[in-house]
Amino acid sequence: MNCIKRKSPVFVSCLLLVVLLTTSCVSNKKMLYFQDVEGVETSSKLVSFEPKIQQGDFLSVNVSAIDAEAAIPFNLYETPVIGTYTTNLKTLDYLVDTDGNINFPVLGTTKVEGLTTKEFSKNLAEKLGSYIKNPIVNVRITNFKVTVLGEVVKPGTYPVTNERISIIEAIGMAGDLTIQGKRTTVSLIREVQGERKFVTIDLTNKQLFNSPYYYLAQNDVIYVEPNKTKVNSSAVGSNASLILSSISTLISLIAILTN
């Protein structure tokens, strides 16, 4: 006991260090999402981006012409009620199936996956030229949305009405990053032809504006990691009761050893 008393300051310091290390340390792997993501090189020139139609998309397709009656069979309407005029009916969207097709009136199965809405509009107008004189076709993706998660003020899923949104605009919709968000390693998750792609984006680098990932595609997910300060504070907060209990035990042990 005398030996312990003579070394009590060192002994107590060591005990305190062990307790703090044991209760305060936590692995980043327990805090961060989408780890081990490799960066993607950016291009030297800003790429003009147009979203491509994907499986699961909902498409609004409106066909019109000078002869309005001739265009009616090529528009998809809800089931008419007896006595209801076609002009009062609600148009319906087309669901792109798992084969990348839609079932279009008169034309039947039509491949749309991988096309932009502009390309599909042009192709469809050419096909309808055999049935309608000077058809006008408007196509829009109605379920275009992006999701922003992690260290932002308002995480959530946001609809995009104009089919064009940059990563900066998406983060702005989510209220910007919090002070605890890591700005150099923002993760972008994108599904392309059934495969999931992970991209790391540095918001502090101006080359972001030349990146092919500057503009987002439908269903993109953005994740902002918490910085080390947030990770450490979360670890301390979750173990606060354990730390207090350990300190209380340590004080009792010191009182026993020094008496």
Side-chain angles (χ1 to χ4, degrees), residues 178-215:
T178 68
I179 195 171
Q180 293 91 4
K182 292 180 68 174
R183 286 153 173 77
T184 56
T185 54
V186 174
S187 296
L188 169 64
I189 300 92
R190 175 174 296 177
E191 292 188 5
V192 181
Q193 296 180 341
E195 295 184 357
R196 191 169 289 110
K197 179 182 292 187
F198 296 85
V199 182
T200 299
I201 294 176
D202 183 356
L203 294 180
T204 67
N205 192 329
K206 66 180 181 180
Q207 289 302 314
L208 167 65
F209 295 96
N210 295 325
S211 169
Y213 299 97
Y214 178 70
Y215 287 106

PDB file of all heavy atoms in Angstrom, residues 178-215:
ATOM      1  N   THR A 178     -24.225  22.358 -42.628  1.00  0.00           N
ATOM      2  CA  THR A 178     -24.012  22.853 -41.268  1.00  0.00           C
ATOM      3  C   THR A 178     -22.525  23.094 -41.076  1.00  0.00           C
ATOM      4  O   THR A 178     -21.700  22.684 -41.904  1.00  0.00           O
ATOM      5  CB  THR A 178     -24.500  21.834 -40.226  1.00  0.00           C
ATOM      6  OG1 THR A 178     -23.634  20.673 -40.275  1.00  0.00           O
ATOM      7  CG2 THR A 178     -25.933  21.416 -40.490  1.00  0.00           C
ATOM      8  N   ILE A 179     -22.160  23.723 -39.979  1.00  0.00           N
ATOM      9  CA  ILE A 179     -20.757  23.994 -39.707  1.00  0.00           C
ATOM     10  C   ILE A 179     -19.967  22.709 -39.485  1.00  0.00           C
ATOM     11  O   ILE A 179     -18.749  22.661 -39.630  1.00  0.00           O
ATOM     12  CB  ILE A 179     -20.623  24.940 -38.479  1.00  0.00           C
ATOM     13  CG1 ILE A 179     -19.215  25.517 -38.421  1.00  0.00           C
ATOM     14  CG2 ILE A 179     -20.990  24.208 -37.194  1.00  0.00           C
ATOM     15  CD1 ILE A 179     -19.054  26.615 -37.381  1.00  0.00           C
ATOM     16  N   GLN A 180     -20.673  21.623 -39.149  1.00  0.00           N
ATOM     17  CA  GLN A 180     -20.003  20.335 -38.907  1.00  0.00           C
ATOM     18  C   GLN A 180     -19.845  19.498 -40.173  1.00  0.00           C
ATOM     19  O   GLN A 180     -19.302  18.401 -40.127  1.00  0.00           O
ATOM     20  CB  GLN A 180     -20.773  19.510 -37.868  1.00  0.00           C
ATOM     21  CG  GLN A 180     -20.772  20.088 -36.472  1.00  0.00           C
ATOM     22  CD  GLN A 180     -21.962  21.009 -36.231  1.00  0.00           C
ATOM     23  OE1 GLN A 180     -22.817  21.146 -37.111  1.00  0.00           O
ATOM     24  NE2 GLN A 180     -22.014  21.630 -35.082  1.00  0.00           N
ATOM     25  N   GLY A 181     -20.330  19.977 -41.327  1.00  0.00           N
ATOM     26  CA  GLY A 181     -20.258  19.189 -42.559  1.00  0.00           C
ATOM     27  C   GLY A 181     -18.897  19.277 -43.222  1.00  0.00           C
ATOM     28  O   GLY A 181     -18.283  20.350 -43.272  1.00  0.00           O
ATOM     29  N   LYS A 182     -18.407  18.155 -43.755  1.00  0.00           N
ATOM     30  CA  LYS A 182     -17.129  18.122 -44.469  1.00  0.00           C
ATOM     31  C   LYS A 182     -17.357  18.570 -45.914  1.00  0.00           C
ATOM     32  O   LYS A 182     -18.086  17.928 -46.659  1.00  0.00           O
ATOM     33  CB  LYS A 182     -16.525  16.720 -44.432  1.00  0.00           C
ATOM     34  CG  LYS A 182     -16.085  16.283 -43.054  1.00  0.00           C
ATOM     35  CD  LYS A 182     -15.492  14.879 -43.062  1.00  0.00           C
ATOM     36  CE  LYS A 182     -14.181  14.836 -43.785  1.00  0.00           C
ATOM     37  NZ  LYS A 182     -13.534  13.503 -43.684  1.00  0.00           N
ATOM     38  N   ARG A 183     -16.732  19.644 -46.289  1.00  0.00           N
ATOM     39  CA  ARG A 183     -16.952  20.232 -47.600  1.00  0.00           C
ATOM     40  C   ARG A 183     -16.039  19.655 -48.685  1.00  0.00           C
ATOM     41  O   ARG A 183     -16.250  19.907 -49.864  1.00  0.00           O
ATOM     42  CB  ARG A 183     -16.772  21.743 -47.511  1.00  0.00           C
ATOM     43  CG  ARG A 183     -17.943  22.416 -46.818  1.00  0.00           C
ATOM     44  CD  ARG A 183     -17.561  23.728 -46.144  1.00  0.00           C
ATOM     45  NE  ARG A 183     -18.737  24.417 -45.643  1.00  0.00           N
ATOM     46  CZ  ARG A 183     -19.391  24.090 -44.530  1.00  0.00           C
ATOM     47  NH1 ARG A 183     -18.972  23.057 -43.795  1.00  0.00           N
ATOM     48  NH2 ARG A 183     -20.456  24.757 -44.131  1.00  0.00           N
ATOM     49  N   THR A 184     -15.030  18.916 -48.291  1.00  0.00           N
ATOM     50  CA  THR A 184     -14.075  18.386 -49.266  1.00  0.00           C
ATOM     51  C   THR A 184     -14.391  16.967 -49.720  1.00  0.00           C
ATOM     52  O   THR A 184     -13.813  16.492 -50.696  1.00  0.00           O
ATOM     53  CB  THR A 184     -12.652  18.396 -48.677  1.00  0.00           C
ATOM     54  OG1 THR A 184     -12.637  17.653 -47.457  1.00  0.00           O
ATOM     55  CG2 THR A 184     -12.200  19.832 -48.407  1.00  0.00           C
ATOM     56  N   THR A 185     -15.291  16.306 -49.039  1.00  0.00           N
ATOM     57  CA  THR A 185     -15.608  14.910 -49.401  1.00  0.00           C
ATOM     58  C   THR A 185     -17.111  14.663 -49.380  1.00  0.00           C
ATOM     59  O   THR A 185     -17.608  13.810 -48.656  1.00  0.00           O
ATOM     60  CB  THR A 185     -14.904  13.916 -48.454  1.00  0.00           C
ATOM     61  OG1 THR A 185     -15.245  14.254 -47.090  1.00  0.00           O
ATOM     62  CG2 THR A 185     -13.400  13.950 -48.616  1.00  0.00           C
ATOM     63  N   VAL A 186     -17.847  15.425 -50.167  1.00  0.00           N
ATOM     64  CA  VAL A 186     -19.290  15.219 -50.302  1.00  0.00           C
ATOM     65  C   VAL A 186     -19.525  14.050 -51.262  1.00  0.00           C
ATOM     66  O   VAL A 186     -18.928  13.996 -52.344  1.00  0.00           O
ATOM     67  CB  VAL A 186     -19.975  16.491 -50.827  1.00  0.00           C
ATOM     68  CG1 VAL A 186     -21.456  16.234 -51.106  1.00  0.00           C
ATOM     69  CG2 VAL A 186     -19.815  17.626 -49.824  1.00  0.00           C
ATOM     70  N   SER A 187     -20.357  13.121 -50.882  1.00  0.00           N
ATOM     71  CA  SER A 187     -20.593  11.923 -51.690  1.00  0.00           C
ATOM     72  C   SER A 187     -21.830  12.079 -52.575  1.00  0.00           C
ATOM     73  O   SER A 187     -22.869  12.539 -52.123  1.00  0.00           O
ATOM     74  CB  SER A 187     -20.781  10.697 -50.781  1.00  0.00           C
ATOM     75  OG  SER A 187     -19.603  10.421 -50.061  1.00  0.00           O
ATOM     76  N   LEU A 188     -21.684  11.674 -53.827  1.00  0.00           N
ATOM     77  CA  LEU A 188     -22.797  11.638 -54.769  1.00  0.00           C
ATOM     78  C   LEU A 188     -23.011  10.187 -55.185  1.00  0.00           C
ATOM     79  O   LEU A 188     -22.082   9.518 -55.624  1.00  0.00           O
ATOM     80  CB  LEU A 188     -22.496  12.489 -56.003  1.00  0.00           C
ATOM     81  CG  LEU A 188     -23.459  12.351 -57.195  1.00  0.00           C
ATOM     82  CD1 LEU A 188     -24.859  12.830 -56.806  1.00  0.00           C
ATOM     83  CD2 LEU A 188     -22.948  13.117 -58.394  1.00  0.00           C
ATOM     84  N   ILE A 189     -24.239   9.693 -55.023  1.00  0.00           N
ATOM     85  CA  ILE A 189     -24.578   8.317 -55.384  1.00  0.00           C
ATOM     86  C   ILE A 189     -25.564   8.372 -56.548  1.00  0.00           C
ATOM     87  O   ILE A 189     -26.620   9.010 -56.447  1.00  0.00           O
ATOM     88  CB  ILE A 189     -25.191   7.548 -54.198  1.00  0.00           C
ATOM     89  CG1 ILE A 189     -24.209   7.503 -53.028  1.00  0.00           C
ATOM     90  CG2 ILE A 189     -25.540   6.127 -54.609  1.00  0.00           C
ATOM     91  CD1 ILE A 189     -24.379   8.629 -52.045  1.00  0.00           C
ATOM     92  N   ARG A 190     -25.207   7.696 -57.634  1.00  0.00           N
ATOM     93  CA  ARG A 190     -26.032   7.747 -58.840  1.00  0.00           C
ATOM     94  C   ARG A 190     -26.201   6.344 -59.407  1.00  0.00           C
ATOM     95  O   ARG A 190     -25.249   5.560 -59.468  1.00  0.00           O
ATOM     96  CB  ARG A 190     -25.393   8.661 -59.886  1.00  0.00           C
ATOM     97  CG  ARG A 190     -26.102   8.694 -61.234  1.00  0.00           C
ATOM     98  CD  ARG A 190     -25.492   9.719 -62.163  1.00  0.00           C
ATOM     99  NE  ARG A 190     -25.670  11.069 -61.626  1.00  0.00           N
ATOM    100  CZ  ARG A 190     -25.173  12.163 -62.203  1.00  0.00           C
ATOM    101  NH1 ARG A 190     -24.465  12.065 -63.314  1.00  0.00           N
ATOM    102  NH2 ARG A 190     -25.388  13.348 -61.661  1.00  0.00           N
ATOM    103  N   GLU A 191     -27.420   6.015 -59.852  1.00  0.00           N
ATOM    104  CA  GLU A 191     -27.683   4.731 -60.497  1.00  0.00           C
ATOM    105  C   GLU A 191     -27.695   4.920 -62.006  1.00  0.00           C
ATOM    106  O   GLU A 191     -28.421   5.762 -62.529  1.00  0.00           O
ATOM    107  CB  GLU A 191     -29.017   4.154 -60.021  1.00  0.00           C
ATOM    108  CG  GLU A 191     -29.001   3.730 -58.556  1.00  0.00           C
ATOM    109  CD  GLU A 191     -30.260   2.988 -58.150  1.00  0.00           C
ATOM    110  OE1 GLU A 191     -31.090   2.724 -59.042  1.00  0.00           O
ATOM    111  OE2 GLU A 191     -30.400   2.681 -56.959  1.00  0.00           O
ATOM    112  N   VAL A 192     -26.848   4.128 -62.689  1.00  0.00           N
ATOM    113  CA  VAL A 192     -26.743   4.204 -64.140  1.00  0.00           C
ATOM    114  C   VAL A 192     -26.884   2.802 -64.714  1.00  0.00           C
ATOM    115  O   VAL A 192     -26.043   1.933 -64.451  1.00  0.00           O
ATOM    116  CB  VAL A 192     -25.395   4.818 -64.571  1.00  0.00           C
ATOM    117  CG1 VAL A 192     -25.316   4.903 -66.092  1.00  0.00           C
ATOM    118  CG2 VAL A 192     -25.208   6.196 -63.947  1.00  0.00           C
ATOM    119  N   GLN A 193     -27.953   2.572 -65.472  1.00  0.00           N
ATOM    120  CA  GLN A 193     -28.199   1.283 -66.115  1.00  0.00           C
ATOM    121  C   GLN A 193     -28.060   0.107 -65.147  1.00  0.00           C
ATOM    122  O   GLN A 193     -27.373  -0.875 -65.409  1.00  0.00           O
ATOM    123  CB  GLN A 193     -27.244   1.103 -67.306  1.00  0.00           C
ATOM    124  CG  GLN A 193     -27.475   2.124 -68.398  1.00  0.00           C
ATOM    125  CD  GLN A 193     -26.547   1.949 -69.577  1.00  0.00           C
ATOM    126  OE1 GLN A 193     -25.504   1.295 -69.470  1.00  0.00           O
ATOM    127  NE2 GLN A 193     -26.889   2.533 -70.706  1.00  0.00           N
ATOM    128  N   GLY A 194     -28.704   0.226 -64.009  1.00  0.00           N
ATOM    129  CA  GLY A 194     -28.733  -0.851 -63.031  1.00  0.00           C
ATOM    130  C   GLY A 194     -27.512  -0.946 -62.147  1.00  0.00           C
ATOM    131  O   GLY A 194     -27.433  -1.832 -61.295  1.00  0.00           O
ATOM    132  N   GLU A 195     -26.540  -0.065 -62.305  1.00  0.00           N
ATOM    133  CA  GLU A 195     -25.341  -0.062 -61.472  1.00  0.00           C
ATOM    134  C   GLU A 195     -25.281   1.220 -60.644  1.00  0.00           C
ATOM    135  O   GLU A 195     -25.663   2.291 -61.111  1.00  0.00           O
ATOM    136  CB  GLU A 195     -24.082  -0.187 -62.323  1.00  0.00           C
ATOM    137  CG  GLU A 195     -23.969  -1.516 -63.052  1.00  0.00           C
ATOM    138  CD  GLU A 195     -22.664  -1.641 -63.813  1.00  0.00           C
ATOM    139  OE1 GLU A 195     -21.880  -0.666 -63.816  1.00  0.00           O
ATOM    140  OE2 GLU A 195     -22.422  -2.704 -64.415  1.00  0.00           O
ATOM    141  N   ARG A 196     -24.761   1.089 -59.426  1.00  0.00           N
ATOM    142  CA  ARG A 196     -24.660   2.232 -58.525  1.00  0.00           C
ATOM    143  C   ARG A 196     -23.246   2.805 -58.569  1.00  0.00           C
ATOM    144  O   ARG A 196     -22.275   2.103 -58.355  1.00  0.00           O
ATOM    145  CB  ARG A 196     -25.038   1.810 -57.109  1.00  0.00           C
ATOM    146  CG  ARG A 196     -25.219   2.972 -56.144  1.00  0.00           C
ATOM    147  CD  ARG A 196     -25.845   2.520 -54.840  1.00  0.00           C
ATOM    148  NE  ARG A 196     -27.249   2.161 -55.017  1.00  0.00           N
ATOM    149  CZ  ARG A 196     -27.723   0.924 -54.952  1.00  0.00           C
ATOM    150  NH1 ARG A 196     -26.913  -0.090 -54.715  1.00  0.00           N
ATOM    151  NH2 ARG A 196     -29.003   0.679 -55.113  1.00  0.00           N
ATOM    152  N   LYS A 197     -23.136   4.097 -58.854  1.00  0.00           N
ATOM    153  CA  LYS A 197     -21.842   4.763 -58.961  1.00  0.00           C
ATOM    154  C   LYS A 197     -21.659   5.732 -57.792  1.00  0.00           C
ATOM    155  O   LYS A 197     -22.573   6.475 -57.438  1.00  0.00           O
ATOM    156  CB  LYS A 197     -21.750   5.526 -60.286  1.00  0.00           C
ATOM    157  CG  LYS A 197     -20.445   6.285 -60.489  1.00  0.00           C
ATOM    158  CD  LYS A 197     -20.444   7.061 -61.793  1.00  0.00           C
ATOM    159  CE  LYS A 197     -20.435   6.136 -62.983  1.00  0.00           C
ATOM    160  NZ  LYS A 197     -20.277   6.887 -64.261  1.00  0.00           N
ATOM    161  N   PHE A 198     -20.450   5.715 -57.190  1.00  0.00           N
ATOM    162  CA  PHE A 198     -20.122   6.609 -56.085  1.00  0.00           C
ATOM    163  C   PHE A 198     -19.068   7.619 -56.543  1.00  0.00           C
ATOM    164  O   PHE A 198     -18.043   7.242 -57.111  1.00  0.00           O
ATOM    165  CB  PHE A 198     -19.579   5.818 -54.892  1.00  0.00           C
ATOM    166  CG  PHE A 198     -20.581   4.871 -54.280  1.00  0.00           C
ATOM    167  CD1 PHE A 198     -20.758   3.595 -54.803  1.00  0.00           C
ATOM    168  CD2 PHE A 198     -21.343   5.254 -53.188  1.00  0.00           C
ATOM    169  CE1 PHE A 198     -21.677   2.711 -54.254  1.00  0.00           C
ATOM    170  CE2 PHE A 198     -22.261   4.380 -52.622  1.00  0.00           C
ATOM    171  CZ  PHE A 198     -22.430   3.112 -53.153  1.00  0.00           C
ATOM    172  N   VAL A 199     -19.339   8.885 -56.278  1.00  0.00           N
ATOM    173  CA  VAL A 199     -18.431   9.952 -56.689  1.00  0.00           C
ATOM    174  C   VAL A 199     -18.146  10.854 -55.482  1.00  0.00           C
ATOM    175  O   VAL A 199     -19.060  11.180 -54.720  1.00  0.00           O
ATOM    176  CB  VAL A 199     -19.060  10.798 -57.824  1.00  0.00           C
ATOM    177  CG1 VAL A 199     -18.092  11.875 -58.280  1.00  0.00           C
ATOM    178  CG2 VAL A 199     -19.479   9.919 -58.986  1.00  0.00           C
ATOM    179  N   THR A 200     -16.888  11.236 -55.304  1.00  0.00           N
ATOM    180  CA  THR A 200     -16.532  12.165 -54.236  1.00  0.00           C
ATOM    181  C   THR A 200     -16.342  13.551 -54.819  1.00  0.00           C
ATOM    182  O   THR A 200     -15.596  13.726 -55.791  1.00  0.00           O
ATOM    183  CB  THR A 200     -15.245  11.712 -53.520  1.00  0.00           C
ATOM    184  OG1 THR A 200     -15.463  10.438 -52.930  1.00  0.00           O
ATOM    185  CG2 THR A 200     -14.874  12.694 -52.411  1.00  0.00           C
ATOM    186  N   ILE A 201     -17.004  14.536 -54.234  1.00  0.00           N
ATOM    187  CA  ILE A 201     -16.978  15.908 -54.750  1.00  0.00           C
ATOM    188  C   ILE A 201     -16.415  16.849 -53.694  1.00  0.00           C
ATOM    189  O   ILE A 201     -16.783  16.791 -52.523  1.00  0.00           O
ATOM    190  CB  ILE A 201     -18.395  16.352 -55.159  1.00  0.00           C
ATOM    191  CG1 ILE A 201     -18.859  15.498 -56.350  1.00  0.00           C
ATOM    192  CG2 ILE A 201     -18.441  17.830 -55.502  1.00  0.00           C
ATOM    193  CD1 ILE A 201     -20.273  15.766 -56.785  1.00  0.00           C
ATOM    194  N   ASP A 202     -15.499  17.717 -54.111  1.00  0.00           N
ATOM    195  CA  ASP A 202     -14.875  18.713 -53.237  1.00  0.00           C
ATOM    196  C   ASP A 202     -15.521  20.070 -53.504  1.00  0.00           C
ATOM    197  O   ASP A 202     -15.282  20.683 -54.553  1.00  0.00           O
ATOM    198  CB  ASP A 202     -13.371  18.767 -53.504  1.00  0.00           C
ATOM    199  CG  ASP A 202     -12.649  19.730 -52.562  1.00  0.00           C
ATOM    200  OD1 ASP A 202     -13.327  20.418 -51.760  1.00  0.00           O
ATOM    201  OD2 ASP A 202     -11.413  19.793 -52.635  1.00  0.00           O
ATOM    202  N   LEU A 203     -16.336  20.524 -52.569  1.00  0.00           N
ATOM    203  CA  LEU A 203     -17.034  21.802 -52.746  1.00  0.00           C
ATOM    204  C   LEU A 203     -16.105  22.999 -52.637  1.00  0.00           C
ATOM    205  O   LEU A 203     -16.479  24.112 -53.016  1.00  0.00           O
ATOM    206  CB  LEU A 203     -18.162  21.936 -51.717  1.00  0.00           C
ATOM    207  CG  LEU A 203     -19.331  20.952 -51.840  1.00  0.00           C
ATOM    208  CD1 LEU A 203     -20.350  21.223 -50.752  1.00  0.00           C
ATOM    209  CD2 LEU A 203     -19.974  21.020 -53.212  1.00  0.00           C
ATOM    210  N   THR A 204     -14.902  22.797 -52.103  1.00  0.00           N
ATOM    211  CA  THR A 204     -13.959  23.917 -51.946  1.00  0.00           C
ATOM    212  C   THR A 204     -13.128  24.121 -53.205  1.00  0.00           C
ATOM    213  O   THR A 204     -12.370  25.088 -53.283  1.00  0.00           O
ATOM    214  CB  THR A 204     -13.007  23.673 -50.762  1.00  0.00           C
ATOM    215  OG1 THR A 204     -12.147  22.559 -51.058  1.00  0.00           O
ATOM    216  CG2 THR A 204     -13.781  23.397 -49.487  1.00  0.00           C
ATOM    217  N   ASN A 205     -13.228  23.246 -54.191  1.00  0.00           N
ATOM    218  CA  ASN A 205     -12.426  23.332 -55.418  1.00  0.00           C
ATOM    219  C   ASN A 205     -13.272  23.907 -56.548  1.00  0.00           C
ATOM    220  O   ASN A 205     -14.334  23.368 -56.871  1.00  0.00           O
ATOM    221  CB  ASN A 205     -11.903  21.941 -55.784  1.00  0.00           C
ATOM    222  CG  ASN A 205     -10.841  21.983 -56.869  1.00  0.00           C
ATOM    223  OD1 ASN A 205     -10.855  22.851 -57.733  1.00  0.00           O
ATOM    224  ND2 ASN A 205      -9.921  21.033 -56.820  1.00  0.00           N
ATOM    225  N   LYS A 206     -12.785  24.954 -57.181  1.00  0.00           N
ATOM    226  CA  LYS A 206     -13.553  25.594 -58.248  1.00  0.00           C
ATOM    227  C   LYS A 206     -13.712  24.694 -59.476  1.00  0.00           C
ATOM    228  O   LYS A 206     -14.553  24.977 -60.343  1.00  0.00           O
ATOM    229  CB  LYS A 206     -12.899  26.913 -58.654  1.00  0.00           C
ATOM    230  CG  LYS A 206     -11.541  26.782 -59.302  1.00  0.00           C
ATOM    231  CD  LYS A 206     -10.985  28.157 -59.672  1.00  0.00           C
ATOM    232  CE  LYS A 206      -9.629  28.029 -60.351  1.00  0.00           C
ATOM    233  NZ  LYS A 206      -9.070  29.360 -60.707  1.00  0.00           N
ATOM    234  N   GLN A 207     -12.909  23.641 -59.599  1.00  0.00           N
ATOM    235  CA  GLN A 207     -13.058  22.705 -60.713  1.00  0.00           C
ATOM    236  C   GLN A 207     -14.398  21.976 -60.672  1.00  0.00           C
ATOM    237  O   GLN A 207     -14.773  21.297 -61.630  1.00  0.00           O
ATOM    238  CB  GLN A 207     -11.909  21.692 -60.695  1.00  0.00           C
ATOM    239  CG  GLN A 207     -10.562  22.278 -61.075  1.00  0.00           C
ATOM    240  CD  GLN A 207     -10.597  22.917 -62.462  1.00  0.00           C
ATOM    241  OE1 GLN A 207     -11.120  22.323 -63.416  1.00  0.00           O
ATOM    242  NE2 GLN A 207     -10.067  24.117 -62.583  1.00  0.00           N
ATOM    243  N   LEU A 208     -15.110  22.121 -59.561  1.00  0.00           N
ATOM    244  CA  LEU A 208     -16.446  21.538 -59.465  1.00  0.00           C
ATOM    245  C   LEU A 208     -17.323  21.990 -60.630  1.00  0.00           C
ATOM    246  O   LEU A 208     -18.121  21.221 -61.157  1.00  0.00           O
ATOM    247  CB  LEU A 208     -17.095  21.962 -58.133  1.00  0.00           C
ATOM    248  CG  LEU A 208     -18.599  21.713 -57.977  1.00  0.00           C
ATOM    249  CD1 LEU A 208     -18.892  20.217 -57.981  1.00  0.00           C
ATOM    250  CD2 LEU A 208     -19.119  22.344 -56.696  1.00  0.00           C
ATOM    251  N   PHE A 209     -17.160  23.235 -61.060  1.00  0.00           N
ATOM    252  CA  PHE A 209     -18.009  23.773 -62.122  1.00  0.00           C
ATOM    253  C   PHE A 209     -17.696  23.156 -63.485  1.00  0.00           C
ATOM    254  O   PHE A 209     -18.463  23.322 -64.431  1.00  0.00           O
ATOM    255  CB  PHE A 209     -17.856  25.292 -62.189  1.00  0.00           C
ATOM    256  CG  PHE A 209     -18.352  25.988 -60.941  1.00  0.00           C
ATOM    257  CD1 PHE A 209     -17.474  26.339 -59.934  1.00  0.00           C
ATOM    258  CD2 PHE A 209     -19.696  26.259 -60.775  1.00  0.00           C
ATOM    259  CE1 PHE A 209     -17.925  26.954 -58.772  1.00  0.00           C
ATOM    260  CE2 PHE A 209     -20.162  26.869 -59.629  1.00  0.00           C
ATOM    261  CZ  PHE A 209     -19.273  27.216 -58.621  1.00  0.00           C
ATOM    262  N   ASN A 210     -16.553  22.467 -63.599  1.00  0.00           N
ATOM    263  CA  ASN A 210     -16.209  21.768 -64.837  1.00  0.00           C
ATOM    264  C   ASN A 210     -16.496  20.271 -64.758  1.00  0.00           C
ATOM    265  O   ASN A 210     -16.184  19.529 -65.685  1.00  0.00           O
ATOM    266  CB  ASN A 210     -14.712  21.959 -65.153  1.00  0.00           C
ATOM    267  CG  ASN A 210     -14.382  23.409 -65.455  1.00  0.00           C
ATOM    268  OD1 ASN A 210     -15.189  24.118 -66.045  1.00  0.00           O
ATOM    269  ND2 ASN A 210     -13.209  23.852 -65.050  1.00  0.00           N
ATOM    270  N   SER A 211     -17.062  19.849 -63.648  1.00  0.00           N
ATOM    271  CA  SER A 211     -17.283  18.420 -63.432  1.00  0.00           C
ATOM    272  C   SER A 211     -18.512  17.912 -64.195  1.00  0.00           C
ATOM    273  O   SER A 211     -19.537  18.604 -64.272  1.00  0.00           O
ATOM    274  CB  SER A 211     -17.463  18.151 -61.931  1.00  0.00           C
ATOM    275  OG  SER A 211     -17.919  16.841 -61.718  1.00  0.00           O
ATOM    276  N   PRO A 212     -18.439  16.701 -64.739  1.00  0.00           N
ATOM    277  CA  PRO A 212     -19.625  16.110 -65.377  1.00  0.00           C
ATOM    278  C   PRO A 212     -20.709  15.769 -64.352  1.00  0.00           C
ATOM    279  O   PRO A 212     -21.827  15.414 -64.735  1.00  0.00           O
ATOM    280  CB  PRO A 212     -19.076  14.843 -66.031  1.00  0.00           C
ATOM    281  CG  PRO A 212     -17.856  14.504 -65.252  1.00  0.00           C
ATOM    282  CD  PRO A 212     -17.264  15.817 -64.839  1.00  0.00           C
ATOM    283  N   TYR A 213     -20.372  15.895 -63.057  1.00  0.00           N
ATOM    284  CA  TYR A 213     -21.337  15.606 -61.997  1.00  0.00           C
ATOM    285  C   TYR A 213     -21.872  16.890 -61.355  1.00  0.00           C
ATOM    286  O   TYR A 213     -22.527  16.835 -60.325  1.00  0.00           O
ATOM    287  CB  TYR A 213     -20.701  14.707 -60.935  1.00  0.00           C
ATOM    288  CG  TYR A 213     -20.259  13.381 -61.502  1.00  0.00           C
ATOM    289  CD1 TYR A 213     -18.942  13.180 -61.884  1.00  0.00           C
ATOM    290  CD2 TYR A 213     -21.174  12.353 -61.709  1.00  0.00           C
ATOM    291  CE1 TYR A 213     -18.534  11.981 -62.451  1.00  0.00           C
ATOM    292  CE2 TYR A 213     -20.782  11.151 -62.272  1.00  0.00           C
ATOM    293  CZ  TYR A 213     -19.458  10.974 -62.645  1.00  0.00           C
ATOM    294  OH  TYR A 213     -19.061   9.788 -63.203  1.00  0.00           O
ATOM    295  N   TYR A 214     -21.555  18.021 -61.975  1.00  0.00           N
ATOM    296  CA  TYR A 214     -22.058  19.297 -61.445  1.00  0.00           C
ATOM    297  C   TYR A 214     -23.583  19.325 -61.519  1.00  0.00           C
ATOM    298  O   TYR A 214     -24.256  19.786 -60.595  1.00  0.00           O
ATOM    299  CB  TYR A 214     -21.466  20.456 -62.231  1.00  0.00           C
ATOM    300  CG  TYR A 214     -21.968  21.807 -61.796  1.00  0.00           C
ATOM    301  CD1 TYR A 214     -21.601  22.350 -60.571  1.00  0.00           C
ATOM    302  CD2 TYR A 214     -22.819  22.549 -62.621  1.00  0.00           C
ATOM    303  CE1 TYR A 214     -22.069  23.598 -60.167  1.00  0.00           C
ATOM    304  CE2 TYR A 214     -23.286  23.790 -62.231  1.00  0.00           C
ATOM    305  CZ  TYR A 214     -22.913  24.304 -61.002  1.00  0.00           C
ATOM    306  OH  TYR A 214     -23.391  25.535 -60.608  1.00  0.00           O
ATOM    307  N   TYR A 215     -24.140  18.829 -62.630  1.00  0.00           N
ATOM    308  CA  TYR A 215     -25.592  18.727 -62.752  1.00  0.00           C
ATOM    309  C   TYR A 215     -26.035  17.337 -62.319  1.00  0.00           C
ATOM    310  O   TYR A 215     -25.373  16.333 -62.616  1.00  0.00           O
ATOM    311  CB  TYR A 215     -26.048  19.007 -64.189  1.00  0.00           C
ATOM    312  CG  TYR A 215     -25.942  20.460 -64.567  1.00  0.00           C
ATOM    313  CD1 TYR A 215     -24.932  20.896 -65.418  1.00  0.00           C
ATOM    314  CD2 TYR A 215     -26.832  21.389 -64.047  1.00  0.00           C
ATOM    315  CE1 TYR A 215     -24.817  22.241 -65.752  1.00  0.00           C
ATOM    316  CE2 TYR A 215     -26.721  22.736 -64.367  1.00  0.00           C
ATOM    317  CZ  TYR A 215     -25.717  23.159 -65.221  1.00  0.00           C
ATOM    318  OH  TYR A 215     -25.601  24.482 -65.540  1.00  0.00           O
TER     319      TYR A 215
END
